[in-house]
Amino acid sequence: MLIAILGIIILIVGIVLKRSPEPGSHYANIVRVAGVIITILGLLSSSVKIIDPGKVGVQVLFGQVQDQVLESGLHFIDPVVDVTTFSIQTENYTMSAKTSEGQVQGDDAIKVLSSDGLEVAIDLSVLYRVKANRAPFILQNIGADYEDKIVRPVTRTAVRDNAVNYQAVDLYSSKREEFQFKINKTITDNFSKNGLEVQQILVRNITLPESVRQSIESKIQAEQDAQKMQFVLQKERQEADRKRVEAQGIADYQRIISLGLTQQQWQSGDLRRFIRWMDIDHCGNRPASGAEGSIRTSNTG
């Protein structure tokens, strides 16, 4: 549009030169023609608008926001219309304690108070996008700086309002998914009213007070020690059971030897294998060379 305005100015200058005395009037026709050409080119360029991929355009005519949204591509519009573009791609707004992350430099983690009165720092990322059909509403009622007016304050308030219902340890462990679900719902509902769509809420890190962290670490260490002791006790019980079975086997073997056996019983293969097994596996020594003979002798006699 500036080019068209420049062309009109040049055209006016040409008209003025036409009425002026020589030698200025000699160039009046050339200036007027140039002004007309520049004005036409300016109007043509202002009538053509290209919207980049992943964006939409909102038209404003003399301060009035138009409801029709210009999607990505080439459009012919009124030369006097001003077009404001909005990205409809996924955007990431991060609030983190690390200075190198997030839109705000420095420690931007969300500080909240838990139900037990402890201060917890939460790093969080919001993935969202502008709804294409609600872009005129955003421009009319919020403005192009919706990130500072809606995304940041709504997110931080939702986290604080929900965190107060949980103890610090629960936020860190067992209730983390439930907490994330609740803040997701709160933020989604609020964003939707303002023309934004939440795609995902990421609770990236929860930092507990140092005293609480030490308490948790001590508890985990105690649980690990208890599990280790249970394993040792179980192993000792198994060893005691093994020794008890071994002792019982040795006692049974000695009782059989002391009672004496008949020749027919001794010749039974199963019994002889049992005695041999008892000698090797439990006593560690085979019976004396005369033991078997002595049994036979006593039984035959």
Side-chain angles (χ1 to χ4, degrees):
M1 193 62 188
L2 291 176
I3 297 177
I5 295 174
L6 178 61
I8 293 173
I9 294 174
I10 295 175
L11 180 61
I12 294 173
V13 171
I15 296 173
V16 173
L17 289 176
K18 181 67 176 177
R19 298 177 180 178
S20 64
E22 295 289 344
S25 60
H26 180 72
Y27 300 99
N29 291 333
I30 298 176
V31 173
R32 282 188 300 173
V33 171
V36 171
I37 294 175
I38 293 175
T39 301
I40 293 174
L41 291 176
L43 292 175
L44 289 175
S45 64
S46 300
S47 300
V48 177
K49 182 65 176 179
I50 298 176
I51 305 299
D52 296 331
K55 295 184 178 181
V56 294
V58 179
Q59 304 176 79
V60 180
L61 178 61
F62 300 122
Q64 181 68 38
V65 177
Q66 307 296 306
D67 293 333
Q68 182 182 4
V69 176
L70 303 179
E71 298 181 351
S72 60
L74 179 65
H75 299 273
F76 293 94
I77 60 175
D78 192 324
V80 296
V81 167
D82 184 28
V83 177
T84 302
T85 58
F86 286 85
S87 173
I88 57 174
Q89 296 175 330
T90 299
E91 298 185 50
N92 178 6
Y93 193 90
T94 296
M95 289 160 281
S96 173
K98 295 183 179 180
T99 57
S100 59
E101 298 180 352
Q103 281 71 7
V104 177
Q105 294 298 317
D107 186 357
D108 193 36
I110 305 173
K111 304 296 193 302
V112 301
L113 285 178
S114 60
S115 61
D116 47 358
L118 297 175
E119 184 180 76
V120 179
I122 299 177
D123 292 357
L124 184 138
S125 292
V126 182
L127 303 182
Y128 73 98
R129 71 179 187 89
V130 172
K131 294 180 180 179
N133 61 335
R134 299 296 303 279
F137 170 85
I138 294 175
L139 183 61
Q140 177 73 43
N141 297 279
I142 301 172
D145 55 345
Y146 54 86
E147 203 170 67
D148 294 330
K149 292 181 179 179
I150 300 296
V151 176
R152 179 179 176 85
V154 167
T155 300
R156 296 178 76 90
T157 301
V159 172
R160 291 191 179 102
D161 290 347
N162 285 278
V164 75
N165 298 317
Y166 297 90
Q167 293 186 358
V169 175
D170 292 339
L171 286 174
Y172 186 79
S173 56
S174 61
K175 298 295 182 66
R176 181 165 179 162
E177 291 186 4
E178 178 183 316
F179 169 68
Q180 183 166 327
F181 173 79
K182 287 187 176 182
I183 62 174
N184 194 342
K185 185 178 185 307
T186 303
I187 296 173
T188 298
D189 293 343
N190 202 305
F191 274 29
S192 181
K193 296 175 183 178
N194 292 283
L196 304 175
E197 177 185 337
V198 173
Q199 295 186 315
Q200 196 171 7
I201 302 293
L202 303 175
V203 179
R204 304 169 68 244
N205 187 40
I206 296 179
T207 304
L208 299 176
E210 183 64 27
S211 59
V212 178
R213 289 205 304 270
Q214 292 178 355
S215 177
I216 293 176
E217 291 173 358
S218 300
K219 181 180 178 181
I220 293 175
Q221 184 62 43
E223 291 176 351
Q224 291 176 347
D225 293 342
Q227 292 176 355
K228 181 179 179 181
M229 183 58 64
Q230 288 291 336
F231 174 77
V232 172
L233 292 175
Q234 183 178 2
K235 186 176 180 181
E236 292 296 333
R237 290 193 201 96
Q238 292 175 345
E239 180 66 17
D241 291 341
R242 186 192 67 79
K243 290 182 178 181
R244 186 162 48 251
V245 171
E246 179 181 355
Q248 184 63 43
I250 295 174
D252 291 344
Y253 164 71
Q254 293 175 345
R255 181 174 56 81
I256 292 172
I257 295 300
S258 64
L259 290 176
L261 301 172
T262 62
Q263 182 66 26
Q264 185 176 1
Q265 289 173 328
W266 173 250
Q267 290 175 352
S268 172
D270 291 338
L271 184 56
R272 297 180 68 177
R273 280 193 296 272
F274 170 74
I275 294 176
R276 187 179 299 110
W277 175 81
M278 294 299 298
D279 281 337
I280 296 174
D281 291 346
H282 295 276
C283 297
N285 298 308
R286 297 184 60 84
S289 60
E292 183 175 328
S294 63
I295 295 175
R296 293 176 179 176
T297 304
S298 62
N299 288 329
T300 54

